[in-house]
């Protein structure tokens, strides 16, 4: 009986630790995704959506190996779409960012 209680406590602590880890990583991932999609847009330009997605996904796997095993590619793709939306809003609001991403000639 005591072994079962200890096992349940250890399991509960493990689950709590995983939840705590994921919540802390959420902000880091969101900020990193915004950076990654901005760099992909700058380096690869428009009309290369699938290529940019694959590049960002490869970087995600390298930087967040544990979380990449939990998050499906479809879910990741949706997160990228949200980051792209945020990037576009920021580009419209920030002339310097627009200049950085699109280059001098397009501003």
């Amino acid at each position: 009986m005591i072994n079962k209680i200890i096992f349940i406590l250890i399991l509960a602590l493990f689950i709590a630790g995983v939840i705590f880890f994921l919540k802390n990583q959420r902000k880091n991932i969101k900020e990193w995704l915004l950076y990654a999609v901005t760099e992909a847009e700058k380096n690869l330009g428009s009309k290369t959506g699938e290529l940019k997605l694959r590049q960002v996904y490869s970087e995600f796997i390298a930087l967040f190996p544990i979380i990449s095993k939990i998050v499906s590619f479809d879910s990741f793709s949706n997160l990228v779409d949200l980051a792209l939306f945020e990037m576009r809003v920021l580009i419209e609001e920030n002339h310097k960012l627009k200049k950085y991403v699109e280059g001098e000639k397009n501003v």
Side-chain angles (χ1 to χ4, degrees):
M1 183 67 167
I2 292 178
N3 287 342
K4 287 182 183 179
I5 293 172
I6 291 173
F7 175 76
I8 291 171
L9 286 174
I10 290 172
L11 183 61
L13 286 173
F14 175 75
I15 291 170
V18 169
I19 291 170
F20 179 77
F21 173 76
L22 292 176
K23 284 188 176 198
N24 282 339
Q25 289 299 310
R26 183 177 171 196
K27 183 179 179 189
N28 292 342
I29 292 169
K30 183 180 176 186
E31 290 173 358
W32 175 82
L33 269 175
L34 181 58
Y35 164 78
V37 298
T38 302
E39 288 300 310
E41 183 72 22
K42 177 182 184 265
N43 295 329
L44 299 172
S46 61
K47 309 292 183 204
T48 58
E50 188 67 28
L51 184 59
K52 289 184 281 194
L53 176 60
R54 291 293 173 178
Q55 176 184 321
V56 172
Y57 187 62
S58 294
E59 293 172 12
F60 173 72
I61 290 170
L63 287 172
F64 302 98
I66 295 170
I67 296 173
S68 69
K69 299 210 183 314
I70 299 168
V71 176
S72 71
F73 181 78
D74 288 338
S75 295
F76 179 81
S77 181
N78 291 333
L79 293 172
V80 167
D81 288 342
L82 292 172
L84 284 168
F85 177 79
E86 186 175 352
M87 179 199 71
R88 289 181 186 117
V89 169
L90 290 172
I91 285 174
E92 290 304 315
E93 294 174 350
N94 188 319
H95 179 72
K96 288 182 181 182
L97 181 60
K98 184 173 186 165
K99 192 173 173 180
Y100 174 77
V101 172
E102 295 179 356
E104 293 283 341
K105 61 184 178 281
N106 294 333
V107 176

